[in-house]
Amino acid sequence: MTNFKILKIGKLDDVSKNYENGKAFLHDLLDLTSCEISVNSMSAGVKLPFNHKHKQNEEIYIFLKGNGSMTLDNEIIDVKEGDCIKVLPQAVRTMEAKSDLQYICIQAKTNSLEHFGLGDAELC
């Protein structure tokens, strides 16, 4: 067994064609143990067909291309390339793509991170 795993999902423009509902969930594909990460591609005009919230996980959305809107606790927020949004578990959310929209969503248990960056590094 190696200490790493490689996954090639292809170009972001192809995620909507190659993965169900335009979402590549990396938890299972990379055997992640600390978080869920999804790479997402929504076509212009697509709206998530449901509102949802989480029991314990916050989500971080990193928008890579396009523009759209997120509805967070009934407040509509415009999003575009370069925006990063943290959403706490209890916030009710949904999303709509105004143009082709690509983003990464990271989901992790709120308040679980103990060390990060160089604080978790060891020189070898």
Side-chain angles (χ1 to χ4, degrees), residues 76-111:
I76 298 172
I77 310 293
D78 289 327
V79 297
K80 66 182 182 316
E81 179 179 334
D83 289 350
C84 300
I85 298 178
K86 172 187 153 183
V87 183
L88 292 175
Q90 62 272 21
V92 176
R93 67 206 76 175
T94 193
M95 188 180 322
E96 183 173 1
K98 294 179 181 172
S99 69
D100 289 351
L101 188 62
Q102 295 172 348
Y103 62 95
I104 293 172
C105 181
I106 302 166
Q107 189 181 121
K109 185 176 180 181
T110 302
N111 297 317

Side-chain angles (χ1 to χ4, degrees), residues 58-73:
E58 65 188 17
E59 289 182 319
I60 300 88
Y61 292 85
I62 304 167
F63 293 92
L64 305 173
K65 181 180 176 183
N67 64 71
S69 64
M70 292 185 78
T71 303
L72 302 168
D73 288 337

Side-chain angles (χ1 to χ4, degrees), residues 4-5 8 14 25 27 45 54-55 80-81 86 104 118:
F4 58 90
K5 187 171 183 177
K8 298 183 183 210
D14 294 334
F25 289 103
H27 176 269
H54 289 274
K55 296 176 184 173
K80 66 182 182 316
E81 179 179 334
K86 172 187 153 183
I104 293 172
L118 292 178

